[in-house]
Structures are given as C-alpha cells and as structure tokens.
Amino acid sequence: MRLDPDEWALVHDRRAPRDFLFWRGLELCVEICAERVRPGALWVDVGSGTGHLAGALAALGARTIGLDHDPRMTRYARRRWPGAFAAADASSLPLPDGSCAGLVAVSLLGCLGDPGGLLAEAARVLAPHGTLCLSAMNRHSLLLPAAKLAAWRGRRNAARYTAYDPAALAAAARRAGLLPERQILYGHLSPLGSRGLPGLERARRREAQVPPGTRSAWARQILLVATRQAA
C-alpha cells in the first residue's frame, strides 16, 4: 500500500493522539539512539518514509542515509531534510558490508511478510557492535483487532499488515547474527475519540510498567534494540 507523503508527514508533524503508535515509536527510537550516535558516524533509516527519523538522527550529529521502497517518499524527504535519500528494497540494501554504525526501521516490519531479509541485511551492513532499532506490531495485543476494525470499517480491500510475537522476533534477530539487548512494549492506546483511549498520559504510564520481553495483551507495538555481534 502506497501512502501520500504529505499526509504521512502530518502523522509526525501533527502528533495527534490517533497516530500515537507511529510517532511514539519514532520518539522512542530517537531517545535510544541519542545515547549511541557519534558525530559523523553513518546511520541508515530503512523504510524512511518522509524522513522524520533520519532528520532527527542528523540533528544528533549522525551522517544519515534514508532508504524507502517508494520514490515519492524519498523525493519528499530530500526537499525537507539533510542527508541522502534513495529508493531501495529492504532486503537488498545498497551499502557495503560493515559500513554502518546504526540501522533503524520504524513502522516498516508490518509491511514485510517476513523479517528475515531485513535482519540479514542489517547484520551484513552493521559494523561489529553496531545498533539495530526497529519496531513491529505486537500480535498478542487485544487493541490490535479493535484498531483494525476502526480503520477498515466501510473499506474494501484494505491493506493488511504483519504482526509479530516479541520472542519470535528476538529469535529471528539472533539467527541473523544480532544480539537482542532490549524490548520495549508501547502503544497502549486505542485510536478512538479525540484523545484516544485511555489517553496519552495513561498510555505512557502503562508503557513504563510492562516488563521487557513479556507478552502484553495491551501494547500494540514492540521496539526491539539489538547489536551486531563481533565476528
């Protein structure tokens, strides 16, 4: 499914409660990467969309490349942010082996049928001890079917997205040669009403209360942080 770049940019510019899981995932990723970015080091944003995450990493001092399957997204990002943006497939990144200090992929895995290709490419292009930070939908969340129903009501042939088990996603990362460090379960919010339910502040509090790596019946999203194992 192709999204309109101007409309997708509003998700992060407007930061409306109904879009909480999208902009919160980016926000969490930036918070984690802020502790790891070194000036001039190369960080790659796969599935970069309108470039908001790549722009935030550049503001931290990283040298950034944004890659997205949709050329319209890369054209929008070039007009708005510093750094390089190009069209590319997530399972075949146009980057040399071991060339990246970090790789991020927020709101991408749901569009992929299998994370194996992206994880293998992440392991290939990351330098030893390089950082991977990606998000995925949590298939155990009871809020997920409710959100799908709200989004698809009255629509035919709606796009379907892949959801993941947190433990299985971590296992797939290990098989690719990546060492999972941390999982954050977030997105405890149903996009209903003007503020969402149960509200942004309660959603953030619930996020902080979920033990890492557990199956959560409410968190709609998973943020996985891993590092490239040394050879």
Side-chain angles (χ1 to χ4, degrees):
M1 179 182 180
R2 290 197 168 192
L3 301 172
D4 179 80
D6 292 306
E7 291 182 4
W8 185 242
L10 288 176
V11 167
H12 300 290
D13 291 338
R14 185 175 49 200
R15 293 166 65 92
R18 67 173 177 269
D19 299 320
F20 176 69
L21 76 161
F22 297 110
W23 57 259
R24 180 56 178 159
L26 189 149
E27 186 177 66
L28 283 169
C29 185
V30 172
E31 288 174 7
I32 289 167
C33 294
E35 303 173 355
R36 301 166 183 242
V37 169
R38 298 294 177 265
L42 177 61
W43 282 68
V44 179
D45 181 6
V46 183
S48 53
T50 51
H52 286 72
L53 180 50
L57 294 174
L60 294 174
R63 180 166 53 96
T64 59
I65 296 175
L67 302 173
D68 197 280
H69 186 71
D70 189 344
R72 297 176 307 158
M73 290 290 187
T74 60
R75 287 195 292 269
Y76 178 98
R78 286 191 203 108
R79 293 194 301 268
R80 182 161 179 180
W81 307 102
F85 292 90
D89 191 280
S91 61
S92 182
L93 302 178
L95 298 163
D97 294 0
S99 59
C100 306
L103 185 148
V104 297
V106 173
S107 300
L108 172 64
L109 280 192
C111 302
L112 306 179
D114 185 338
L118 173 61
L119 293 172
E121 280 294 88
R124 180 183 68 81
V125 303
L126 282 172
H129 308 297
T131 297
L132 169 69
C133 185
L134 56 77
S135 71
M137 289 191 296
N138 171 29
R139 72 177 186 145
H140 302 293
S141 175
L142 298 178
L143 293 178
L144 198 57
K148 288 181 179 180
L149 180 62
W152 295 351
R153 184 175 297 166
R155 295 170 55 190
R156 293 183 178 180
N157 301 319
R160 295 189 177 185
Y161 298 100
T162 306
Y164 296 86
D165 172 75
L169 185 59
R174 290 189 190 94
R175 288 194 296 272
L178 300 158
L179 182 63
E181 286 187 356
R182 186 180 180 190
Q183 279 189 343
I184 300 172
L185 280 296
Y186 69 98
H188 300 71
L189 188 78
S190 182
L192 300 173
S194 61
R195 295 182 178 273
L197 297 173
L200 294 183
E201 291 307 314
R202 290 186 67 183
R204 287 177 183 272
R205 287 199 299 271
R206 289 182 178 182
E207 174 186 306
Q209 294 166 359
V210 178
T214 60
R215 288 189 178 188
S216 171
W218 300 109
R220 290 172 59 191
Q221 297 290 116
I222 311 159
L223 192 79
L224 173 68
V225 184
T227 54
R228 175 72 169 94
Q229 298 186 50

